[in-house]
Short mmCIF file of all heavy atoms in Angstrom, two decimals:
data_model
loop_
_atom_site.label_atom_id
_atom_site.label_comp_id
_atom_site.label_asym_id
_atom_site.label_seq_id
_atom_site.Cartn_x
_atom_site.Cartn_y
_atom_site.Cartn_z
N GLU A 119 110.00 92.69 105.24
CA GLU A 119 110.83 93.49 106.13
C GLU A 119 111.53 94.66 105.36
O GLU A 119 112.48 95.23 105.75
CB GLU A 119 111.90 92.60 106.69
CG GLU A 119 111.39 91.36 107.32
CD GLU A 119 110.53 91.72 108.56
OE1 GLU A 119 110.57 92.77 109.06
OE2 GLU A 119 109.86 90.67 109.00
N ALA A 120 110.83 95.09 104.31
CA ALA A 120 111.35 96.09 103.42
C ALA A 120 111.56 97.51 104.12
O ALA A 120 112.33 98.39 103.69
CB ALA A 120 110.48 96.36 102.11
N ASP A 121 110.91 97.63 105.36
CA ASP A 121 111.07 98.96 105.96
C ASP A 121 112.36 99.21 106.48
O ASP A 121 112.73 100.44 106.76
CB ASP A 121 110.01 98.96 107.21
CG ASP A 121 110.14 97.89 108.16
OD1 ASP A 121 110.47 96.81 107.73
OD2 ASP A 121 110.01 98.20 109.37
N ILE A 122 113.30 98.17 106.61
CA ILE A 122 114.61 98.50 107.02
C ILE A 122 115.32 99.33 106.04
O ILE A 122 116.27 100.03 106.35
CB ILE A 122 115.47 97.15 107.34
CG1 ILE A 122 116.60 97.43 108.05
CG2 ILE A 122 115.71 96.43 105.89
CD1 ILE A 122 117.42 96.20 108.72
N PHE A 123 114.92 99.30 104.76
CA PHE A 123 115.49 100.18 103.72
C PHE A 123 114.83 101.45 103.43
O PHE A 123 115.36 102.25 102.70
CB PHE A 123 115.42 99.44 102.34
CG PHE A 123 115.97 97.99 102.35
CD1 PHE A 123 115.34 96.87 102.20
CD2 PHE A 123 117.39 97.76 102.76
CE1 PHE A 123 115.70 95.62 102.17
CE2 PHE A 123 117.91 96.50 102.90
CZ PHE A 123 117.16 95.43 102.57
N PHE A 124 113.81 101.76 104.23
CA PHE A 124 113.11 103.14 104.11
C PHE A 124 114.01 104.25 104.15
O PHE A 124 113.85 105.16 103.42
CB PHE A 124 112.00 103.19 105.23
CG PHE A 124 110.76 102.57 104.94
CD1 PHE A 124 110.70 101.69 103.83
CD2 PHE A 124 109.71 102.80 105.66
CE1 PHE A 124 109.44 100.98 103.59
CE2 PHE A 124 108.48 102.13 105.35
CZ PHE A 124 108.37 101.24 104.32
N PRO A 125 115.06 104.39 105.10
CA PRO A 125 116.02 105.59 105.11
C PRO A 125 116.58 105.77 103.67
O PRO A 125 116.83 106.97 103.53
CB PRO A 125 116.99 105.21 106.29
CG PRO A 125 116.25 104.12 107.10
CD PRO A 125 115.40 103.49 106.12
N LEU A 126 116.76 104.70 102.99
CA LEU A 126 117.46 105.06 101.54
C LEU A 126 116.54 105.77 100.64
O LEU A 126 116.97 106.44 99.67
CB LEU A 126 117.80 103.69 100.98
CG LEU A 126 118.76 102.84 101.85
CD1 LEU A 126 119.00 101.53 101.05
CD2 LEU A 126 120.13 103.49 101.99
N GLY A 127 115.22 105.75 101.07
CA GLY A 127 114.23 106.48 100.23
C GLY A 127 113.71 107.76 101.00
O GLY A 127 112.82 108.38 100.46
N GLY A 128 114.41 108.11 101.96
CA GLY A 128 114.04 109.42 102.56
C GLY A 128 113.05 109.27 103.80
O GLY A 128 112.58 110.28 104.32
N HIS A 129 112.71 108.05 104.17
CA HIS A 129 111.70 107.84 105.18
C HIS A 129 112.42 107.51 106.47
O HIS A 129 113.22 106.55 106.48
CB HIS A 129 110.63 106.74 104.94
CG HIS A 129 109.82 107.04 103.79
ND1 HIS A 129 108.61 107.79 103.82
CD2 HIS A 129 110.01 106.66 102.45
CE1 HIS A 129 108.07 107.96 102.70
NE2 HIS A 129 108.87 107.36 101.83
N GLU A 130 112.27 108.23 107.56
CA GLU A 130 112.83 107.78 108.88
C GLU A 130 112.04 106.71 109.45
O GLU A 130 110.83 106.52 109.17
CB GLU A 130 113.02 108.92 109.83
CG GLU A 130 114.26 109.68 109.80
CD GLU A 130 115.39 108.71 109.98
OE1 GLU A 130 115.34 107.69 110.69
OE2 GLU A 130 116.49 108.99 109.30
N ARG A 131 112.68 105.88 110.40
CA ARG A 131 111.86 104.60 110.87
C ARG A 131 111.89 104.81 112.35
O ARG A 131 112.85 105.42 113.04
CB ARG A 131 112.75 103.44 110.55
CG ARG A 131 113.01 103.21 109.14
CD ARG A 131 113.87 101.91 108.97
NE ARG A 131 113.23 100.70 109.56
CZ ARG A 131 113.95 99.88 110.27
NH1 ARG A 131 115.15 99.97 110.47
NH2 ARG A 131 113.20 98.83 110.68
N HIS A 132 110.84 104.27 112.97
CA HIS A 132 110.80 103.95 114.49
C HIS A 132 110.87 102.45 114.76
O HIS A 132 109.95 101.80 114.21
CB HIS A 132 109.58 104.67 114.94
CG HIS A 132 109.31 104.37 116.41
ND1 HIS A 132 110.20 104.74 117.42
CD2 HIS A 132 108.32 103.48 116.99
CE1 HIS A 132 109.66 104.24 118.63
NE2 HIS A 132 108.54 103.41 118.34
N VAL A 133 111.63 101.97 115.52
CA VAL A 133 111.79 100.67 116.04
C VAL A 133 111.22 100.60 117.43
O VAL A 133 111.83 101.17 118.30
CB VAL A 133 113.20 100.03 115.83
CG1 VAL A 133 113.13 98.62 116.37
CG2 VAL A 133 113.57 99.99 114.31
N PRO A 134 110.18 99.85 117.60
CA PRO A 134 109.59 99.87 119.01
C PRO A 134 110.36 98.98 119.99
O PRO A 134 111.34 98.34 119.43
CB PRO A 134 108.16 99.23 118.82
CG PRO A 134 108.41 98.41 117.60
CD PRO A 134 109.35 99.09 116.59
N ASP A 135 110.10 99.01 121.25
CA ASP A 135 110.67 98.16 122.19
C ASP A 135 110.49 96.67 121.83
O ASP A 135 109.49 96.40 121.14
CB ASP A 135 110.09 98.37 123.60
CG ASP A 135 110.33 99.80 124.04
OD1 ASP A 135 111.34 100.35 123.67
OD2 ASP A 135 109.53 100.42 125.00
N PRO A 136 111.35 95.87 122.11
CA PRO A 136 111.35 94.41 121.77
C PRO A 136 109.92 93.76 122.05
O PRO A 136 109.47 93.13 121.21
CB PRO A 136 112.49 93.78 122.49
CG PRO A 136 113.46 94.91 122.72
CD PRO A 136 112.63 96.07 122.95
N GLU A 137 109.43 94.00 123.13
CA GLU A 137 108.12 93.51 123.46
C GLU A 137 106.97 93.87 122.61
O GLU A 137 105.88 93.29 122.53
CB GLU A 137 107.79 93.69 124.97
CG GLU A 137 107.55 95.15 125.29
CD GLU A 137 108.87 95.80 125.79
OE1 GLU A 137 109.86 95.34 125.56
OE2 GLU A 137 108.73 96.80 126.57
N ARG A 138 107.08 95.08 121.93
CA ARG A 138 106.01 95.50 121.07
C ARG A 138 106.37 95.20 119.66
O ARG A 138 105.52 95.44 118.69
CB ARG A 138 105.89 97.08 121.26
CG ARG A 138 105.38 97.49 122.65
CD ARG A 138 105.10 98.96 122.58
NE ARG A 138 104.11 99.34 121.58
CZ ARG A 138 104.36 100.29 120.64
NH1 ARG A 138 105.41 101.04 120.60
NH2 ARG A 138 103.49 100.46 119.65
N LEU A 139 107.48 94.74 119.22
CA LEU A 139 107.95 94.53 117.93
C LEU A 139 107.01 93.53 117.22
O LEU A 139 106.64 93.93 116.00
CB LEU A 139 109.43 94.10 117.85
CG LEU A 139 110.08 94.02 116.51
CD1 LEU A 139 109.87 95.31 115.72
CD2 LEU A 139 111.39 93.48 116.57
N ALA A 140 106.69 92.45 117.80
CA ALA A 140 105.82 91.42 117.08
C ALA A 140 104.39 92.11 116.75
O ALA A 140 103.91 91.91 115.70
CB ALA A 140 105.60 90.27 118.03
N ASP A 141 103.79 92.90 117.58
CA ASP A 141 102.56 93.62 117.43
C ASP A 141 102.69 94.53 116.23
O ASP A 141 101.79 94.56 115.41
CB ASP A 141 102.16 94.27 118.60
CG ASP A 141 101.68 93.39 119.83
OD1 ASP A 141 101.42 92.19 119.45
OD2 ASP A 141 101.70 93.92 121.01
N VAL A 142 103.78 95.20 116.13
CA VAL A 142 103.98 96.14 115.12
C VAL A 142 104.09 95.55 113.65
O VAL A 142 103.63 96.02 112.73
CB VAL A 142 105.19 97.15 115.41
CG1 VAL A 142 105.44 97.93 114.17
CG2 VAL A 142 104.90 97.98 116.59
N ARG A 143 104.88 94.39 113.77
CA ARG A 143 105.07 93.67 112.43
C ARG A 143 103.77 92.99 111.93
O ARG A 143 103.39 93.07 110.85
CB ARG A 143 106.13 92.57 112.67
CG ARG A 143 107.49 93.20 112.67
CD ARG A 143 108.66 92.22 112.91
NE ARG A 143 109.90 92.78 112.78
CZ ARG A 143 111.08 92.20 113.10
NH1 ARG A 143 111.03 90.89 113.61
NH2 ARG A 143 112.22 92.75 112.96
N ALA A 144 103.01 92.42 113.01
CA ALA A 144 101.67 91.78 112.67
C ALA A 144 100.74 92.92 111.97
O ALA A 144 100.10 92.70 111.07
CB ALA A 144 101.01 91.29 113.91
N THR A 145 100.75 94.06 112.72
CA THR A 145 99.89 95.19 112.17
C THR A 145 100.26 95.57 110.65
O THR A 145 99.44 95.93 109.98
CB THR A 145 100.04 96.43 113.18
OG1 THR A 145 99.53 96.04 114.38
CG2 THR A 145 99.13 97.54 112.65
N LYS A 146 101.63 95.61 110.49
CA LYS A 146 102.25 96.05 109.32
C LYS A 146 101.65 95.03 108.15
O LYS A 146 101.22 95.44 107.08
CB LYS A 146 103.65 96.07 109.26
CG LYS A 146 104.39 96.29 107.92
CD LYS A 146 105.80 96.34 108.08
CE LYS A 146 106.48 95.05 108.51
NZ LYS A 146 107.75 94.93 108.55
N HIS A 147 101.68 93.85 108.47
CA HIS A 147 101.27 92.78 107.52
C HIS A 147 99.81 92.76 107.23
O HIS A 147 99.34 92.65 106.07
CB HIS A 147 101.71 91.35 107.96
CG HIS A 147 103.25 91.24 108.10
ND1 HIS A 147 104.13 91.97 107.26
CD2 HIS A 147 104.07 90.47 108.86
CE1 HIS A 147 105.42 91.67 107.68
NE2 HIS A 147 105.39 90.65 108.64
N LEU A 148 98.97 93.00 108.18
CA LEU A 148 97.57 93.02 108.14
C LEU A 148 97.17 94.33 107.34
O LEU A 148 96.31 94.25 106.45
CB LEU A 148 96.90 93.05 109.44
CG LEU A 148 96.83 91.68 110.08
CD1 LEU A 148 96.23 91.84 111.51
CD2 LEU A 148 96.03 90.69 109.35
N SER A 149 97.85 95.33 107.55
CA SER A 149 97.65 96.52 106.83
C SER A 149 97.95 96.47 105.38
O SER A 149 97.13 96.93 104.49
CB SER A 149 98.47 97.74 107.26
OG SER A 149 98.37 98.98 106.64
N ARG A 150 98.93 95.65 104.94
CA ARG A 150 99.32 95.51 103.53
C ARG A 150 98.15 94.50 102.93
O ARG A 150 97.79 94.81 101.82
CB ARG A 150 100.60 94.71 103.37
CG ARG A 150 101.85 95.73 103.83
CD ARG A 150 103.10 95.15 103.17
NE ARG A 150 103.09 95.24 101.73
CZ ARG A 150 103.68 94.35 101.01
NH1 ARG A 150 104.57 93.44 101.50
NH2 ARG A 150 103.78 94.55 99.63
N LEU A 151 97.73 93.59 103.75
CA LEU A 151 96.55 92.77 103.25
C LEU A 151 95.41 93.53 102.99
O LEU A 151 94.70 93.33 102.03
CB LEU A 151 96.44 91.53 104.14
CG LEU A 151 95.13 90.69 103.83
CD1 LEU A 151 95.42 89.92 102.53
CD2 LEU A 151 95.02 89.70 104.99
N PHE A 152 95.05 94.32 103.81
CA PHE A 152 93.80 95.19 103.72
C PHE A 152 93.95 96.07 102.46
O PHE A 152 92.95 96.10 101.76
CB PHE A 152 93.66 96.13 104.98
CG PHE A 152 92.53 96.99 105.07
CD1 PHE A 152 91.35 96.64 105.71
CD2 PHE A 152 92.55 98.27 104.39
CE1 PHE A 152 90.18 97.43 105.63
CE2 PHE A 152 91.56 99.12 104.30
CZ PHE A 152 90.22 98.71 104.90
N ASP A 153 95.12 96.67 102.30
CA ASP A 153 95.29 97.56 101.10
C ASP A 153 95.19 96.73 99.79
O ASP A 153 94.61 97.14 98.83
CB ASP A 153 96.63 98.26 101.23
CG ASP A 153 96.72 99.31 102.28
OD1 ASP A 153 95.66 99.76 102.71
OD2 ASP A 153 97.77 99.89 102.63
N ALA A 154 95.75 95.55 99.92
CA ALA A 154 95.73 94.67 98.66
C ALA A 154 94.35 94.30 98.34
O ALA A 154 93.87 94.32 97.01
CB ALA A 154 96.65 93.29 98.92
N VAL A 155 93.40 93.94 99.37
CA VAL A 155 92.15 93.57 99.05
C VAL A 155 91.44 94.81 98.49
O VAL A 155 90.54 94.63 97.55
CB VAL A 155 91.43 92.91 100.34
CG1 VAL A 155 89.99 92.66 100.07
CG2 VAL A 155 92.13 91.68 100.71
N ARG A 156 91.56 95.80 99.20
CA ARG A 156 90.83 97.09 98.77
C ARG A 156 91.20 97.47 97.41
O ARG A 156 90.41 97.80 96.44
CB ARG A 156 91.06 98.23 99.67
CG ARG A 156 90.46 99.56 99.43
CD ARG A 156 90.84 100.61 100.29
NE ARG A 156 92.38 100.73 100.14
CZ ARG A 156 93.03 101.54 100.94
NH1 ARG A 156 92.58 102.22 101.93
NH2 ARG A 156 94.35 101.64 100.71
N ASP A 157 92.52 97.42 97.01
CA ASP A 157 92.99 97.87 95.66
C ASP A 157 92.53 96.75 94.62
O ASP A 157 92.36 97.27 93.48
CB ASP A 157 94.48 97.91 95.70
CG ASP A 157 95.00 98.96 96.45
OD1 ASP A 157 94.27 99.91 96.87
OD2 ASP A 157 96.20 98.92 96.78
N ALA A 158 92.36 95.58 94.93
CA ALA A 158 91.81 94.51 94.01
C ALA A 158 90.45 94.73 93.72
O ALA A 158 89.86 94.12 92.76
CB ALA A 158 92.12 93.25 94.57
N ASN A 159 89.75 95.47 94.58
CA ASN A 159 88.22 95.55 94.49
C ASN A 159 87.84 97.16 94.53
O ASN A 159 87.26 97.61 95.54
CB ASN A 159 87.54 94.88 95.63
CG ASN A 159 87.65 93.42 95.42
OD1 ASN A 159 86.95 92.59 94.81
ND2 ASN A 159 88.78 92.88 96.14
N PRO A 160 88.22 97.96 93.52
CA PRO A 160 88.03 99.35 93.60
C PRO A 160 86.49 99.76 93.70
O PRO A 160 86.21 100.85 93.97
CB PRO A 160 88.74 99.81 92.29
CG PRO A 160 88.65 98.61 91.19
CD PRO A 160 88.79 97.50 92.14
N GLY A 161 85.59 98.81 93.39
CA GLY A 161 84.27 99.21 93.43
C GLY A 161 83.62 99.15 94.74
O GLY A 161 82.54 99.58 95.06
N TRP A 162 84.48 98.66 95.80
CA TRP A 162 84.10 98.68 97.14
C TRP A 162 84.29 100.01 97.78
O TRP A 162 85.17 100.31 98.43
CB TRP A 162 84.84 97.66 97.92
CG TRP A 162 84.58 96.13 97.52
CD1 TRP A 162 83.87 95.76 96.58
CD2 TRP A 162 85.11 95.07 98.20
NE1 TRP A 162 83.98 94.38 96.35
CE2 TRP A 162 84.74 93.98 97.42
CE3 TRP A 162 85.87 94.80 99.28
CZ2 TRP A 162 85.08 92.64 97.69
CZ3 TRP A 162 86.19 93.47 99.65
CH2 TRP A 162 85.90 92.49 98.92
#
Side-chain angles (χ1 to χ4, degrees):
E119 306 297 346
D121 57 323
I122 197 170
F123 305 118
F124 278 10
L126 302 178
H129 297 278
E130 268 307 327
R131 304 175 61 225
H132 168 69
V133 175
D135 296 333
E137 61 269 20
R138 295 187 55 235
L139 186 57
D141 291 339
V142 171
R143 285 179 173 167
T145 301
K146 175 179 66 178
H147 298 329
L148 284 172
S149 176
R150 290 197 70 205
L151 175 60
F152 181 95
D153 289 344
V155 174
R156 184 188 57 192
D157 292 345
N159 297 274
W162 295 6

